[in-house]
Amino acid sequence: MRLERVRLHVLRMRMKEPFRTSFGVEEEKRVILVEADVEGAVGVAECVAMVEPLYNEEWVEGAFLMLRDFLAPALLGADFDHPREVAPKLDFIRGNRMAKSAIESAIWDAYAKARGIPLWEALGGSWRPIPVGISVGIQPSPEALVRKVEGYLAAGYRRVKLKIAPGADLEYVAAVRRAFPDVPVMVDANSAYRLADADHLARLDDYDLMMIEQPLGHDDIVWHARLQSRLRTPICLDESIHTPEDAEKAIAIGACRVVNVKIGRVGGLERSLELHDVCRAAGVPVWCGGMLETGIGRAHNVAITTLPGFTLPGDTAASSRYWDEDIIEPPVVVTPEGTILPPKGPGIGYEVRWDRIARVREAEAELVPS
Ligand code: OSB
Ligand code: MG
């Protein structure tokens, strides 16, 4: 197999509503799509780097240059037998995992399409309806949050994740718990607390939460272990886990009892499979996180979620969560039972709407072997 051509597309897409976390507000999506030509098949994936480097160190403009000037040139013309060989070829470049993931995941899609099999099958998953939840941004008041959650539960979502931050935590969680005593609820702090807040965070133990995601530093593992020893609520790590080995370390010292898998955060599908395997071997459940993806990123999330270690509902909501008009056909839909049915067609299994993409494209680049 040879990577024959790479095309990059930078899109700007209006989101239905802004998404507020402890680190900022996302009002508009800018996203890089990567197309990879392999064996006459064209694979596609998206780069989940955000407009500003607030979730991690990557950002859209930087990721575009990373892909154009380093990653595509490193892979174009290279020979490989299987997409699992792609990730190691990019190891010589430090970090930049979201950019790496975009090109690697596009090659996986091309590989599956060339063989006429679904991406989930190429990844070793098995078909099943995937239970999904929804991530709810910080709202202006606890009452507003309860109203939002009510709507999402009515739409079928199986669990809700509430974004929290100092000043928007206990009261908000209490209001949701009071309104919906039996609904699976979790919270995500996106690194908004310090270890000194342990007593405050321990008060969350009263609300029977599935887990608290990334309460402490984005680059911390050790203090999370210290904190976990003081909480009944399981800690889930997101930002701190960049590699399968990070997860091994975190699990070894008791820093988390759950792991969030984001394909982009760990550098692609191969690394996601390894992360899944490490957690599964340790008996630690994983679930698939989200990065406000277009349908293309959502499709990759659906595929990885078919692996057996994904035993908790993920953040991969329906296309309609953020988009009036998604760039795939059909859109990702959530059943009234709160599941997504993985498509059975080749590759990601959704058609890409290039006509719609052309209307929201700001820039593009085409790269071929030199
Ligand atoms: O921490 O999981 C997170 C979105 C952007 C950046 C970080 C996170 C999130 C979400 C949203 O929680 C998940 C989604 O709806 O895609
Ligand atoms: Mg998170």
Side-chain angles (χ1 to χ4, degrees):
M1 261 182 318
R2 214 169 87 99
L3 178 62
E4 278 138 17
R5 184 166 56 175
V6 170
R7 253 176 266 111
L8 307 175
H9 310 261
V10 184
L11 316 184
R12 185 188 292 271
M13 290 168 68
R14 196 76 244 154
M15 290 165 60
K16 270 188 179 173
E17 55 179 276
F19 186 75
R20 181 181 293 277
T21 64
S22 64
F23 61 76
V25 188
E26 198 74 3
E27 312 218 19
E28 189 180 53
K29 180 85 178 172
R30 289 186 69 222
V31 60
I32 306 164
L33 300 183
V34 178
E35 279 184 282
D37 295 23
V38 175
E39 293 187 340
V42 183
V44 65
E46 89 178 62
C47 177
V48 297
M50 303 186 97
V51 174
E52 297 174 299
L54 305 181
Y55 166 81
N56 70 348
E57 80 289 355
E58 296 184 80
W59 79 106
V60 175
E61 294 298 329
F64 181 82
L65 297 180
M66 176 49 58
L67 281 157
R68 189 192 69 185
D69 296 347
F70 293 100
L71 303 177
L75 294 177
L76 278 163
D79 270 308
F80 48 92
D81 294 323
H82 193 275
R84 296 198 86 145
E85 295 164 27
V86 174
K89 289 189 198 296
L90 300 178
D91 277 343
F92 75 99
I93 292 170
R94 299 279 198 266
N96 291 282
R97 295 187 174 85
M98 291 175 169
K100 288 175 178 174
S101 173
I103 194 164
E104 190 249 17
S105 300
I107 293 170
W108 272 94
D109 180 40
Y111 170 85
K113 282 173 174 159
R115 269 151 198 74
I117 60 170
L119 178 59
W120 53 262
E121 189 180 324
L123 291 168
S126 24
W127 195 93
R128 62 185 165 98
I130 292 166
V132 292
I134 190 157
S135 175
V136 189
I138 296 172
Q139 301 296 315
S141 68
E143 299 70 45
L145 177 60
V146 168
R147 279 195 299 277
K148 275 266 162 209
V149 168
E150 190 170 27
Y152 293 137
L153 294 175
Y157 291 103
R158 288 239 179 135
R159 72 101 170 96
V160 290
K161 168 168 133 183
L162 313 177
K163 291 290 193 178
I164 58 167
D169 48 22
L170 297 171
E171 259 188 286
Y172 285 70
V173 174
V176 170
R177 194 32 101 213
R178 220 175 302 121
F180 312 105
D182 303 321
V183 168
V185 175
M186 57 174 287
V187 294
D188 185 359
N190 290 109
S191 296
Y193 299 89
R194 305 277 73 96
L195 184 57
D197 299 316
D199 288 337
H200 177 74
L201 292 171
R203 294 171 66 190
L204 288 168
D205 281 345
D206 294 343
Y207 301 105
D208 189 26
L209 301 176
M210 299 170 76
M211 68 194 89
I212 174 169
E213 188 179 343
Q214 197 72 35
L216 307 181
H218 69 92
D219 52 357
D220 170 72
I221 290 178
V222 176
W223 280 177
H224 278 97
R226 195 67 72 81
L227 178 65
Q228 181 70 86
S229 71
R230 295 170 65 176
L231 300 184
R232 259 183 294 123
T233 308
I235 290 177
C236 169
L237 290 178
D238 174 1
E239 281 90 332
S240 305
I241 305 297
H242 305 105
T243 63
E245 202 176 305
D246 283 342
E248 286 187 280
K249 292 173 184 169
I251 294 164
I253 67 165
C256 65
R257 296 183 191 150
V258 183
V259 171
N260 169 327
V261 175
K262 285 182 185 168
I263 302 166
R265 196 192 67 230
V266 299
L269 287 166
E270 163 59 14
R271 300 302 183 213
S272 298
L273 293 174
E274 292 170 13
L275 175 58
H276 163 272
D277 293 351
V278 159
C279 294
R280 190 152 184 255
V284 169
V286 303
W287 54 277
C288 184
M291 290 293 293
L292 319 179
E293 287 92 345
T294 75
I296 290 173
R298 267 162 222 281
H300 284 266
N301 290 345
V302 168
I304 193 84
T305 304
T306 62
L307 272 291
F310 287 81
T311 54
L312 296 168
D315 275 347
T316 307
S319 293
S320 61
R321 166 80 175 95
Y322 296 111
W323 317 114
D324 285 319
E325 206 181 55
D326 204 343
I327 55 174
I328 54 164
E329 192 82 45
V332 174
V333 293
V334 170
T335 67
E337 293 74 44
T339 60
I340 293 172
L341 307 178
K344 293 184 174 161
I348 60 171
Y350 297 89
E351 189 127 354
V352 178
R353 287 290 304 257
W354 293 105
D355 56 327
R356 290 180 185 160
I357 288 170
R359 293 205 296 269
V360 294
R361 184 165 42 209
E362 294 188 321
E364 55 190 316
E366 180 164 302
L367 300 142
V368 291
S370 53

